[in-house]
């Protein structure tokens, strides 16, 4: 594992981790781990098997036996569970609720560790999540902690929802972001916290391109990639 370069991208919901990680993986030709999708799939698989999100031992069983595939497509990565495309279901509001419920279970987090670590294969891995730099890949050479103000994240979320034809007020989005931050930061199992050796980047006023360039520069500084000629 230690010979494979890993870039960790952690931070709160809506800071732009997903977009940044996808962009980095594409630019570098590296693998991408969307760890949030794993928690979403576990939550969804529980619904399919009629298992309560609170039933830790049965949720662990689900996490250990997941038959899941990530399939790259022009519209991003699609997620297949037991031969069925479940991308839309896991990205729904229910998908988020299930993920957040199973993610607080310490044994479920442990059950997903090997699967996440096994994705670190050559030429390299971009790992997107909450505990990539603190728990899953503590030896990663480059760890980014991406933040943005709650207001900036609420505005981005509102724009995303508007694209899907849903209109939600900014104060309501802000409330739900603050609530989620509180839950993620204060849970006992792998709370959301920046690794001591993480580089903090605040994306509130930065474009995706600017953040991506900054991370590539840091990767070059660390000797993970060749410095671009310009
Ligand atoms: O990044 P996301 O919104 O897809 O994450 C879904 C949920 O899973 C969210 O509640 C945070 C949780 N999560 C986690 O606890 N640890 C991770 N490494 C990734 C996501």
């Amino acid at each position: 594992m230690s010979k494979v370069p890993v870039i960790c991208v952690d931070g709160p919901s809506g800071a732009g981790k997903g977009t940044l990680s996808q962009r980095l993986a594409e630019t570098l030709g590296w693998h991408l781990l969307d760890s949030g999708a794993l928690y979403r799939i576990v939550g969804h698989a529980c619904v399919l098997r009629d298992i309560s999100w609170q039933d830790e031992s049965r949720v662990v069983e689900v996490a250990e036996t997941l038959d899941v595939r990530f399939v790259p497509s022009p519209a991003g990565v699609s997620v297949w569970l037991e031969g069925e495309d479940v991308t839309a279901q896991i990205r729904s509001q229910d998908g988020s609720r299930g993920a957040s419920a199973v993610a607080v279970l310490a044994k479920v987090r442990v059950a997903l560790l090997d699967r996440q670590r096994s994705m670190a294969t050559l030429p390299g891995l971009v790992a997107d999540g909450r505990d990539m730099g603190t728990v899953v890949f503590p030896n990663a050479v480059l760890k980014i902690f991406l933040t943005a103000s709650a207001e900036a994240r609420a505005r981005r979320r509102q724009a995303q929802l508007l694209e899907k034809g849903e209109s939600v007020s900014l104060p309501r989005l802000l409330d739900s972001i603050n609530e989620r931050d509180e839950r993620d930061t204060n849970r006992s199992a792998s709370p959301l916290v920046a690794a001591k050796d993480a580089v903090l980047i605040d994306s509130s006023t930065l474009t995706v391109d600017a953040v991506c360039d900054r991370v590539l520069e840091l990767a070059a500084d660390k000797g993970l990639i060749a410095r671009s000629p310009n």
Side-chain angles (χ1 to χ4, degrees):
M1 182 174 100
S2 57
K3 287 208 168 58
V4 178
V6 175
I7 298 178
C8 297
V9 181
D10 289 305
S13 311
K17 300 185 303 289
T19 313
L20 170 67
S21 301
Q22 217 165 318
R23 184 76 73 86
L24 286 170
E26 263 167 36
T27 307
L28 297 168
W30 288 11
H31 304 285
L32 175 66
L33 165 60
D34 175 357
S35 62
L38 284 178
Y39 290 95
R40 287 171 182 272
I41 295 162
V42 171
H44 182 63
C46 287
V47 174
L48 296 179
R49 296 184 203 176
D50 212 10
I51 292 170
S52 153
W53 292 328
Q54 278 76 38
D55 187 341
E56 186 162 18
S57 59
R58 296 195 70 199
V59 180
V60 166
E61 242 175 74
V62 170
E64 282 171 344
T65 55
L66 275 185
D67 168 16
V68 58
R69 272 190 316 132
F70 292 95
V71 183
S73 75
V77 177
S78 61
V79 180
W80 291 66
L81 174 66
E82 281 153 17
E84 213 180 298
D85 185 349
V86 294
T87 317
Q89 286 97 314
I90 67 160
R91 297 282 165 219
S92 68
Q93 281 295 103
D94 277 348
S96 301
R97 284 198 310 120
S100 143
V102 299
V104 302
L105 305 174
K107 289 182 182 155
V108 171
R109 304 194 71 87
V110 171
L112 291 175
L113 273 178
D114 283 350
R115 195 183 287 268
Q116 295 177 83
R117 288 181 177 149
S118 71
M119 292 187 68
T121 53
L122 289 169
L125 178 72
V126 180
D128 163 3
R130 307 289 192 289
D131 59 347
M132 299 296 100
T134 48
V135 177
V136 184
F137 300 109
N139 298 323
V141 179
L142 180 56
K143 300 174 185 177
I144 305 297
F145 195 81
L146 191 66
T147 61
S149 67
E151 288 74 18
R153 289 185 282 140
R155 273 197 308 276
R156 285 177 196 160
R157 182 78 189 126
Q158 190 183 41
Q160 272 174 358
L161 288 171
L162 273 178
E163 248 175 49
K164 287 203 239 167
E166 290 175 51
S167 136
V168 184
S169 81
L170 210 53
R172 239 182 88 192
L173 285 172
L174 199 54
D175 279 352
S176 90
I177 282 180
N178 284 328
E179 210 177 280
R180 211 159 142 183
D181 281 357
E182 173 80 15
R183 212 173 35 229
D184 284 350
T185 315
N186 293 319
R187 69 172 177 226
S188 57
S190 294
L192 174 66
V193 59
K196 285 196 178 66
D197 50 350
V199 179
L200 258 69
I201 300 180
D202 185 335
S203 72
S204 305
T205 59
L206 296 174
T207 62
V208 177
D209 281 345
V211 178
C212 193
D213 286 349
R214 173 83 186 111
V215 176
L216 290 173
E217 210 178 280
L218 289 164
D221 289 348
K222 298 267 185 192
L224 287 178
I225 57 170
R227 199 169 288 284
S228 68
N230 46 356

